[in-house]
Amino acid sequence: MTTPELRLTAVDEEAARLADVLEAHPDASDVTDSGVQGDIVFTAAGSTWVLDFQHGPDGEVFQSTGAPAPADAPAADVLRDVIVPALLAHPAYRAATADDDTLTVHLATGRHYALALSPA
């Protein structure tokens, strides 16, 4: 009997890539899957955090995008100091803008998605 192959969703694939990027960053550690589709748990700045994929206005995670909008409020330190620099160093990401506890990630494919950062 063969086991059926589990197919990853686009969110799972993006979460795996994002986790790899965070694992490679010297200021992030203990990067794991939270057990909820796509969510990522990691340690940075002495605390454990969860990045939670957010659904857009059309109910989908991935949205069509134009130019990234600049953030209009200071971002949480861990977004600004750890996650944004890690993403900007990877060719799959065109931009990452942080506003308080929300991160908007712009992919090189021209789409974007939002993540909410919260303590674990």
Side-chain angles (χ1 to χ4, degrees), residues 26-94:
D27 293 329
S29 63
D30 303 321
V31 181
T32 61
D33 182 344
S34 73
V36 177
Q37 181 183 9
D39 292 357
I40 300 163
V41 178
F42 66 100
T43 301
S47 296
T48 302
W49 302 93
V50 176
L51 279 172
D52 177 24
F53 283 82
Q54 303 295 297
H55 292 277
D58 63 359
E60 298 294 325
V61 169
F62 296 99
Q63 305 294 307
S64 297
T65 186
D72 59 3
D77 291 345
V78 73
L79 285 177
R80 183 189 63 236
D81 298 340
V82 177
I83 299 172
V84 170
L87 293 176
L88 295 179
H90 193 281
Y93 303 104
R94 183 171 55 140

Side-chain angles (χ1 to χ4, degrees), residues 64-70 94-95 97 104 106 110 112:
S64 297
T65 186
R94 183 171 55 140
T97 55
T104 302
H106 298 266
H112 75 273

